[in-house]
Amino acid sequence: MPRKHNFDKQPHLKKEVAKMYAEGKTIAEIEQELKIKFPNAQASRTSIHRFIQRVKPLLELKQAGLLSDEDFDLMTQSQNIALLTNGLLMELFAEWQEKGEIEEKKIDKLLSLINASANLSRSTAYVEKTKTQLIQHTEKMFEKITKVLIEVVEDKQLREKIINRLQDEL
């Protein structure tokens, strides 16, 4: 089974790396800051790069405002469980190939991980579906508000000012 990485052992490092990456810092800068803030972290440039590549799509969604910190954590947990499941599955295949049998405890653990992964994936999909529905609802409400403003407010400058302010708020 793959060795548990430093980022998995110390979740606060994940948030720190994600935050620094979102600020536009390079991998070298992230590595230096981690060494200063967390001297025992032992995060190499390679490990930082691998972590960023693994969660880059999530970080981009978070930057776009389509993903909150809670959702980000849920998705990274789902990814971590999927990685653990794959590692355990590879270990079971190797054991089967060597011995011709597999320990029942390991099969139970694999099934448990698969179940947890499926539950997290379902939760993540539900969160995404809800977000999409909220965005669509907000857009429809904004369209209705704009129509009413166009009908009611005669002063074009004031109307544009209100619409722009609403766009910023929504």
Side-chain angles (χ1 to χ4, degrees), residues 7-109:
F7 289 117
D8 298 322
K9 294 177 193 171
Q10 300 177 28
H12 62 281
L13 291 177
K14 291 178 182 180
K15 289 185 180 181
E16 197 65 34
V17 170
K19 184 181 124 200
M20 287 188 266
Y21 180 76
E23 292 171 355
K25 296 190 177 179
T26 65
I27 292 174
E29 292 169 334
I30 293 171
E31 179 191 30
Q32 288 302 315
E33 283 194 41
L34 285 180
K35 283 181 181 178
I36 293 168
K37 290 182 180 179
F38 309 101
N40 297 331
Q42 301 175 353
S44 66
R45 287 182 190 187
T46 306
S47 63
I48 293 167
H49 176 72
R50 267 184 277 155
F51 172 73
I52 289 172
Q53 290 305 311
R54 192 174 78 196
V55 298
K56 196 173 190 175
L58 303 177
L59 292 171
E60 289 169 356
L61 286 172
K62 188 177 172 191
Q63 284 176 332
L66 298 174
L67 197 64
S68 69
D69 286 335
E70 293 167 0
D71 298 335
F72 181 77
D73 289 342
L74 185 68
M75 289 181 148
T76 53
Q77 287 172 13
S78 179
Q79 284 182 340
N80 289 339
I81 288 177
L83 288 172
L84 288 171
T85 304
N86 287 338
L88 182 58
L89 188 59
M90 292 301 155
E91 186 179 306
L92 290 176
F93 282 143
E95 186 176 317
W96 176 261
Q97 213 169 18
E98 289 175 13
K99 298 180 185 176
E101 61 182 38
I102 299 173
E103 291 178 37
E104 197 170 317
K105 288 180 191 175
K106 288 185 179 178
I107 292 173
D108 290 342
K109 190 184 240 183

Side-chain angles (χ1 to χ4, degrees), residues 164-170:
N164 287 336
R165 180 74 188 269
L166 282 171
Q167 275 182 324
D168 292 340
E169 293 296 321
L170 297 176

